[in-house]
Structure formats: C-alpha cells, structure tokens
Amino acid sequence: MCIACLPRHGFSRREMLKLSALFTAAGALPLLRAAEARAQEADAPVRIGYLPITDATPLLVAHANGLLEAEGLKAEKPVLLRSWAQVIEAFISGQVNVIHLLSPMTMWARFGSGAPARVVAWNHVSGSALTVSPDIASVADLAGKTVGVPFWYSIHNVVVQKLLRENGLTPVTKKTGAPAANEVNLVVMAPADMPPALASRQVAGYIVAEPFNAVAEAQGIGKVLRFTGDVWKDHACCVVFMHERDLDGRPEWSQKVVNAIVKAQLWTRANRSETARLLSKDGPNRYTPHAQAVLDKVLAPPAGDTEAYLKSGAIRHADWKEKRIDFQPYPFPSYTEELVRSLKGTLIEGDATFLSRLDPATAAKELVDDRFVKTALAASGGLPAFGFPAAFTRTEVIAP
C-alpha cells in the first residue's frame, strides 16, 4: 500500500509529528506553561473538547440536557476538534478542561509527557469494532494486507494485534513495500478517513470507534468482522480526563462535573434513540456530522442485529450480553493494570520507553482519581443502576 495515497483530510504527517513531540516532557512544556497562565481563572467554566464520535456521548448529553447547569456550573458550548493531536494540544494548554481521550493515550499524557492530569471516569464501554471489506471472511484473510488504526496508543491497536497474533499473523508498520504473506501492515488514520479508504481498497479493514463501523455498513462498503467488546469484555475505550489543578484546587467544581457526566450516562441508557437524535447532524446542537439512522444503529440497534452478528461470527460470546455500546462510569483498576501489561507487548511506533518503567498497579493508582465518580455513583444508585455488579472490583475477561 502507498501510505502517501491515504486520504488527504486524515492524520497528516504534521499531526503525527506534533503528537510525537508531545510524547516527550520537553515537547509538552510550552503548552504546560501556557496552561499555568490560564490556571489563574478560579471560576473558569466547563470547557469540553471532543471528537465527533460516540465516545463523546456523555459529555455532549451533559451539555445538551443542561445537566452541568443543574449542578450550578457555567458551561460553554463543547468544542469540536478534528484530531487527537488537537484534543491533546487544547487540553494540555488549558483551552479546554474536560475531554474524552483514548484510555492508552492518558498513560502517554501522564507518564510520557508529564501532563498533570488524571482519569476521573469512563465515558463508555465497548463501542468499537473491526470492520473489513465484504470479501474478507476471517482475521486470517487479512494476511498481506493493510489495516487502519486510529492511534498507536488505543485499545483498538491493542485488540487488533491480539486478534492478528491469535491467527498466526505478525503486525508490522511498513512505510514502503508490501507486507509479507504472514504480516499485516498497520497504519494510523483519522476515523473519518477510514470508510473512504476502505471503499477505495486502500485498506482491507479498520478498527475504530463508532459510528464509523456503522457508516461502512450503511454505505455497503464493509462489514463488522468482530466487535472489540466481544474480545475484551466491557473494556473502556475513551475515558474522562481532567487537570489535576481542577481536581485538587476545585474539588467541589470537579465533583459537580463528574456528577453531571454520571447522570448523562444514566439518561443515555434510558433514552438511546433520543441520544442518537441529540448527537446527529439534525439535532439541535449539530454535535456530529452523522445521520440519526447511523447513530441509531449503534445506540439503539434494530431488532435482529444481534442474531445476525452471532451468525456471521462478529459476536462469539453471546453469554456476555454485550451491547454495541454501553455506559458505565467506574474506572476499574484491573482494566488499567491489564492495559499496561498489554501495551508492553503491543507494537507501537515512536518512543515508548516510558511503558517499560510502568508497574501496572502503581500506574493505575497514579493515573486514576476515582473519588469523584464513587461519590457520584453513590447518589445515583451505584453500579447496579448501570446494569453492572455493585463491587468496585472485577476480573478482566479477554477471549478472542
């Protein structure tokens, strides 16, 4: 595959270089200094930064339904950003103060660049899939082909590499030349560029958050080969990331933000089709460019979808009773610990030496601040209100 031939609106080389620079403490330093100046705003409103994907749902619902204001907070209209580089840059520099971020990227931000920020909650569970061309019948059929991932530090990259290795394939990152017969070339692409690349056969598949898998289905250019939640049960994808200066300096403010996010998740679970309307391009705030029918496919799937996916093999663990996307805010330590272990064995481009220094249990404690979400859950019926067991511990289940 010609990497230079990827769609021009995607993850440009400039974006990749920018993120690579931010992977270092030195690269993040100028932005951190800018953030220090903005930190003088003691009464700064809630400023949400997001990508137009379903991962942002709780943040957008909290804004749309006035849940932030109901907590007594000032809130600006969420800022739509076009790439993870923009999200990170806006957050580290203090332009936005509440974001959803790929869970592995939070490790990079915290431990790779020294960003003083922590995970306060999960935004959702599952909500991603491996989508392939119609002629691909199995993971093994990806041999010698190219697959798109949204970023090296993503649960998508972790899961797809697990699937490839389970099928005797070796993930590689070739810039030139074709992959060997037992290799699968991985390339980073912006989610919005994945369906066009699949349609034009520049990639044989991609693994990404919704609704871009549903987009491929709606356009008839691809099919879901596996749902990631059917590989790693109830995994987090995007999490809520906030500045330590807010968590420690404005704990009451931070608690109210998390309260609103938890209430937004509860509302979303009970109003899935209405949520699709709110997020759609025809919704009152036009948060995303997606049609409601596509978002309904993810948030409120038609009857019969599960049976069809069981028949095709996209779902293999019917007993897990996974939804295409679900919502549960508690950041289980076991997940973060297993994610650290998994990332250590995942092919990642760039300088990832910080991963070798991370102890899973210590990293989970330093990265996650769960005091606010525990309080918010206690006031909202606890985890059982979200259809999950009450305990704040669990065992990770990964079964390709």
Side-chain angles (χ1 to χ4, degrees):
M1 174 192 172
C2 172
I3 301 302
C5 296
L6 286 174
R8 63 185 178 86
H9 299 297
F11 226 91
S12 68
R13 179 170 175 76
R14 176 180 292 181
E15 295 288 323
M16 287 297 296
L17 290 174
K18 181 186 294 184
L19 275 170
S20 296
L22 288 174
F23 269 125
T24 67
L29 186 58
L31 297 178
L32 292 172
R33 285 174 175 165
E36 288 177 5
R38 290 190 176 93
Q40 305 306 314
E41 298 179 85
D43 61 343
V46 179
R47 295 173 176 142
I48 292 169
Y50 74 100
L51 288 188
I53 53 180
T54 53
D55 300 40
T57 296
L59 304 183
L60 300 177
V61 167
H63 175 262
N65 288 355
L67 298 176
L68 295 162
E69 288 83 356
E71 292 287 332
L73 299 169
K74 298 176 185 177
E76 296 180 356
K77 183 178 180 180
V79 179
L80 190 158
L81 299 162
R82 297 294 181 181
S83 70
W84 290 119
Q86 288 185 9
V87 172
I88 285 288
E89 185 171 15
F91 178 72
I92 293 180
S93 65
Q95 297 174 54
V96 296
N97 50 28
V98 180
I99 60 171
H100 68 102
L101 196 62
L102 295 167
S103 50
M105 284 188 78
T106 65
M107 293 184 188
W108 154 78
R110 174 82 185 186
F111 304 114
S113 70
R118 303 184 77 179
V119 173
V120 296
W122 285 1
N123 246 27
H124 67 102
V125 293
S126 302
S128 298
L130 171 60
T131 291
V132 297
S133 298
D135 59 311
I136 300 292
S138 67
V139 172
D141 288 345
L142 293 171
K145 296 180 171 59
T146 296
V147 171
V149 298
F151 195 63
W152 299 121
Y153 291 88
S154 67
I155 190 66
H156 313 90
N157 190 34
V158 171
V159 169
V160 76
Q161 291 193 31
K162 286 181 181 292
L163 287 172
L164 294 176
R165 292 190 175 102
E166 282 284 328
N167 285 271
L169 300 175
T170 301
V172 297
T173 58
K174 289 182 178 292
K175 296 295 184 297
T176 58
N182 67 330
E183 296 177 337
V184 176
N185 191 35
L186 300 179
V187 294
V188 170
M189 304 178 66
D193 284 338
M194 291 179 173
L198 185 66
S200 62
R201 299 290 178 143
Q202 291 177 324
V203 296
Y206 57 76
I207 185 165
V208 74
E210 298 288 5
F212 293 101
N213 306 289
V215 165
E217 292 177 304
Q219 293 180 357
I221 59 173
K223 64 182 180 182
V224 172
L225 189 63
R226 288 297 302 277
F227 287 105
T228 57
D230 191 61
V231 176
W232 189 330
K233 189 175 187 293
D234 291 326
H235 70 77
C237 178
C238 271
V239 295
V240 184
F241 209 42
M242 292 174 61
H243 294 285
E244 271 187 350
R245 64 172 177 271
D246 287 327
L247 302 178
D248 297 335
R250 298 197 291 172
E252 291 184 7
W253 182 89
S254 300
Q255 183 65 65
K256 291 175 180 179
V257 171
V258 177
N259 289 347
I261 292 170
V262 169
K263 290 174 181 176
Q265 293 196 33
L266 270 178
W267 187 89
T268 297
R269 286 172 58 87
N271 301 273
R272 289 175 174 268
S273 191
E274 176 62 14
T275 299
R277 187 190 72 81
L278 280 179
L279 300 183
S280 75
K281 62 183 179 181
D282 297 317
N285 293 296
R286 299 181 179 179
Y287 289 124
T288 77
H290 309 300
Q292 181 173 347
V294 169
L295 292 165
D296 267 327
K297 179 81 169 170
V298 178
L299 288 156
D305 268 15
T306 298
E307 183 178 347
Y309 291 130
L310 282 167
K311 185 177 180 180
S312 71
I315 296 176
R316 297 185 182 180
H317 305 288
D319 56 311
W320 290 6
K321 301 185 185 304
E322 290 280 293
K323 290 183 171 57
R324 186 155 180 165
I325 187 171
D326 210 351
F327 300 91
Q328 177 293 111
Y330 184 69
F332 287 99
S334 58
Y335 168 79
T336 304
E337 293 173 17
E338 182 56 39
L339 186 59
V340 171
R341 286 188 285 268
S342 295
L343 284 169
K344 289 175 183 283
T346 299
L347 176 65
I348 295 174
E349 279 205 340
D351 183 5
T353 53
F354 74 92
L355 286 172
S356 64
R357 301 190 295 269
L358 292 185
D359 170 73
T362 302
K365 290 177 182 177
E366 293 182 1
L367 179 65
V368 178
D369 184 344
D370 66 0
R371 54 189 160 141
F372 303 106
V373 72
K374 280 185 172 179
T375 298
L377 279 167
S380 299
L383 284 173
F386 293 84
F388 290 81
F392 288 127
T393 61
R394 76 178 194 183
T395 299
E396 298 305 306
V397 179
I398 305 173

